[in-house]
Amino acid sequence: KYFNSKKKIFLYKNFLNFLSYLKKKNVILLCITNQPGIAKGFLKLDKLNKIHEYINFLINKKTKQFFDKFYHCPHYPVSGFKGEVKKYKIICKCRKPKAGMFKKAIEDFDLLNCKVYNIGNSIVDIKAGQKAGLKNNFLLSKLNKKNFNNKYFYYETNYQNLPNLIL
């Protein structure tokens, strides 16, 4: 369930094609992710950074593109895990569905008056984007569309279709 090894990483061709398309349009690509495995003691911060570097290496190898920055939340407030890291066992402002990481990215890249797209694979991604004030939120999920109130975000099942919806 947790990415604690480079061996577990697989990037789908449609995802790589989509990233390549976006970068060719001069889009800033940011990855915003909850990483509770750090707080739970399953993953060390330096290992996560190496995994992010490896993801960019794989993307670059296939597409000559990359993520401009990775943002992660290492926090998880629930205790009871063997080897958990106490300093990360807090209720924070960055863990999605809160908007902290999104707000930081908007500030870091001066995106306040820019058209920003949030593409997530879970409803917490969409909620975080909405709380940060983003208007273009896309849920990419294989789950049944009926499970979601589609009034406030776009729903798609495949990266192939996203270029037609954005830019």
Side-chain angles (χ1 to χ4, degrees):
K1 188 174 178 180
Y2 293 101
F3 283 104
N4 58 3
S5 167
K6 294 189 285 190
K7 295 175 190 171
K8 294 182 179 183
I9 296 170
F10 176 81
L11 302 175
Y12 291 96
K13 184 178 178 182
N14 287 342
F15 172 72
L16 293 169
N17 290 341
F18 181 61
L19 290 184
S20 185
Y21 168 82
L22 292 175
K23 285 302 272 189
K24 287 176 184 170
K25 298 285 188 181
N26 294 316
V27 171
I28 296 169
L29 295 178
L30 306 171
C31 180
I32 298 176
T33 176
N34 288 340
Q35 291 296 326
I38 295 171
K40 293 177 180 181
F42 304 147
L43 176 64
K44 299 219 179 281
L45 193 52
D46 62 330
K47 182 84 170 216
L48 175 65
N49 290 330
K50 287 186 185 339
I51 289 170
H52 287 165
E53 288 172 14
Y54 185 67
I55 289 170
N56 259 350
F57 168 78
L58 290 176
I59 292 169
N60 189 269
K61 183 177 171 184
K62 298 283 186 182
T63 69
K64 304 297 183 225
Q65 312 301 330
F66 54 88
F67 279 108
D68 293 282
K69 186 163 183 176
F70 289 86
Y71 291 86
H72 69 273
C73 171
H75 307 111
Y76 190 75
V78 179
S79 294
F81 298 89
K82 184 179 179 182
E84 66 188 10
V85 182
K86 300 285 186 206
K87 70 179 179 179
Y88 296 126
K89 306 302 284 183
I90 63 169
I91 297 172
C92 64
K93 294 182 180 180
C94 57
R95 184 173 173 74
K96 296 180 290 182
K98 294 178 183 164
M101 289 187 287
F102 283 81
K103 289 179 178 179
K104 177 80 170 117
I106 289 166
E107 180 183 314
D108 288 352
F109 286 87
D110 197 22
L111 301 173
L112 191 57
N113 296 313
C114 297
K115 195 166 192 176
V116 177
Y117 296 91
N118 171 27
I119 302 166
N121 64 350
S122 77
I123 200 68
V124 296
D125 299 322
I126 303 310
K127 287 180 180 178
Q130 290 171 335
K131 287 177 184 176
L134 303 184
K135 304 290 184 230
N136 299 293
N137 294 284
F138 294 83
L139 178 64
L140 191 67
S141 177
K142 298 272 187 214
L143 297 176
N144 189 328
K145 192 174 186 174
K146 294 177 189 174
N147 294 335
F148 305 104
N149 176 351
N150 201 15
K151 185 176 178 184
Y152 301 107
F153 59 87
Y154 302 94
Y155 176 88
E156 190 49 64
T157 58
N158 193 321
Y159 285 103
Q160 270 179 284
N161 300 327
L162 286 175
N164 300 325
L165 298 172
I166 65 174
L167 302 179

